């Protein structure tokens, strides 16, 4: 079963619009970690944020913000005033104890296109 | 210099050939991982290593083998490459079980 679901396969917005990328996860562990990574067209994976299951505080970093809600098992990512350089595939990932000792379970990614 | 490097960055090979993808890191991390990414999919875990003497299979290890030559080096081998192993391969490292994984730049592999 998919542990991380990113229901939005592709999103297209016009520059300066706000956009939210959804992430829903599934785990039985009480201790787990959630991540967002960015994969620009060049292909590398860039770490954006790590959140542990005991910290439900929202995080803001510049134009990026993250909303973690344990009650709905969601960890959504919002880009405010999007820019063309934000165009990329964004992956949400879950790390739990499991059989592979905290290896990452990735969602299938959301492809974001920001047009001028 | 990059903390996690992968060589080669691109590789074209033929069905049945044996190839090796190499990963090196200067982060001093004990844990290293190999993932593959197929178009439209997330990353899938192939193998992972907690230290030089501890290597474990991931969810899609069939057709692959690994070698942890040193703390800083973790190689992935395709013993007899087949076309459905065409993918983007990533190496990653982390300082511990709950720590962030940092990824190398990836190796694009095409098996003809």
């Amino acid at each position: 079963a998919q542990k991380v679901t990113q229901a939005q396969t592709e999103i297209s917005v016009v520059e300066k619009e706000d956009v939210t990328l959804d992430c829903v996860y599934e785990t039985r562990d009480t201790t787990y970690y959630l991540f967002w990574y960015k994969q620009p067209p060049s292909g590398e994976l860039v770490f954006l944020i790590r959140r542990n299951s005991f910290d439900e505080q929202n995080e803001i970093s510049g134009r990026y913000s993250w909303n973690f809600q344990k009650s709905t098992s969601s960890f959504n990512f919002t880009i405010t005033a999007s820019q063309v350089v934000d165009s990329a595939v964004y992956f949400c990932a879950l790390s739990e104890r499991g059989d592979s000792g905290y290896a990452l379970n990735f969602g299938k990614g959301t492809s974001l296109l920001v047009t001028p | 210099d990059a903390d996690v490097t992968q060589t080669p960055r691109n590789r074209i090979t033929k069905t049945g050939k044996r190839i090796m993808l190499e990963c090196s890191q200067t982060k001093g991390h004990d844990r290293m991982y190999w993932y593959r990414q197929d178009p439209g999919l997330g990353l899938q875990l192939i193998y992972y290593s907690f230290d030089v003497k501890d290597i474990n299979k991931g969810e899609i290890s069939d057709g692959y083998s690994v070698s942890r030559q040193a703390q800083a080096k973790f190689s992935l081998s395709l013993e007899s490459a087949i076309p459905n192993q065409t993918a983007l391969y990533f190496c990653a490292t982390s300082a511990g079980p709950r720590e962030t994984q940092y990824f190398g730049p990836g190796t694009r592999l095409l098996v003809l």
Side-chain angles (χ1 to χ4, degrees), chain A residues 33 35 37 39 42-45 47 50 91 95 99-104 106-108, chain B residues 31 33 35 37 40-43 45 48 50 88 90 97-103 108:
Chain A
Y33 301 83
F35 300 82
Y37 286 86
Q39 186 175 41
S42 52
E44 72 271 25
L45 279 166
F47 164 71
R50 169 181 177 269
F91 290 98
S95 176
D99 294 332
S100 55
Y102 291 101
L104 290 171
F106 283 85
K108 294 185 178 181
Chain B
R31 294 187 167 220
Y33 308 80
Y35 293 88
Q37 181 183 18
L41 299 179
L43 279 70
L45 182 64
Y48 58 105
F50 293 164
L88 180 57
F90 286 101
R98 300 174 182 83
E99 302 302 319
T100 298
Q101 290 186 26
Y102 294 95
F103 287 79
R108 292 188 182 277

Side-chain angles (χ1 to χ4, degrees), chain B residues 3-82:
Chain B
D3 295 319
V4 185
T5 57
Q6 293 183 233
T7 56
R9 295 293 312 278
N10 296 279
R11 180 73 185 268
I12 301 174
T13 192
K14 295 182 179 180
T15 297
K17 294 291 187 180
R18 182 181 188 277
I19 68 164
M20 178 182 290
L21 310 183
E22 299 186 345
C23 176
S24 295
Q25 52 113 347
T26 59
K27 299 180 80 68
H29 290 169
D30 286 328
R31 294 187 167 220
M32 297 186 74
Y33 308 80
W34 276 105
Y35 293 88
R36 67 175 276 175
Q37 181 183 18
D38 296 281
L41 299 179
L43 279 70
Q44 295 175 282
L45 182 64
I46 307 172
Y47 270 95
Y48 58 105
S49 171
F50 293 164
D51 62 42
V52 175
K53 297 182 180 180
D54 186 358
I55 293 177
N56 306 277
K57 293 182 178 181
E59 56 186 314
I60 56 164
S61 60
D62 287 347
Y64 301 96
S65 63
V66 292
S67 173
R68 184 83 183 264
Q69 302 94 323
Q71 186 208 35
K73 296 183 182 296
F74 192 35
S75 299
L76 176 71
S77 294
L78 286 66
E79 299 301 326
S80 179
I82 56 177

Side-chain angles (χ1 to χ4, degrees), chain A residues 22-116:
Chain A
D22 298 332
C23 173
V24 174
Y25 62 92
E26 179 183 336
T27 180
R28 295 180 180 179
D29 284 353
T30 55
T31 301
Y32 54 90
Y33 301 83
L34 295 163
F35 300 82
W36 277 94
Y37 286 86
K38 174 182 180 180
Q39 186 175 41
S42 52
E44 72 271 25
L45 279 166
V46 179
F47 164 71
L48 294 178
I49 190 171
R50 169 181 177 269
R51 174 67 70 208
N52 74 55
S53 55
F54 297 107
D55 184 0
E56 286 195 73
Q57 281 191 336
N58 290 334
E59 176 93 8
I60 297 175
S61 176
R63 295 184 297 106
Y64 295 171
S65 62
W66 291 267
N67 183 1
F68 176 33
Q69 291 192 334
K70 290 178 71 172
S71 61
T72 56
S73 297
S74 65
F75 187 43
N76 297 336
F77 173 31
T78 297
I79 302 174
T80 302
S82 59
Q83 299 177 1
V84 173
V85 293
D86 295 327
S87 296
V89 180
Y90 291 86
F91 290 98
C92 180
L94 166 71
S95 176
E96 55 180 355
R97 185 178 180 85
D99 294 332
S100 55
Y102 291 101
L104 290 171
N105 289 291
F106 283 85
K108 294 185 178 181
T110 296
S111 178
L112 174 65
L113 177 63
V114 182
T115 56

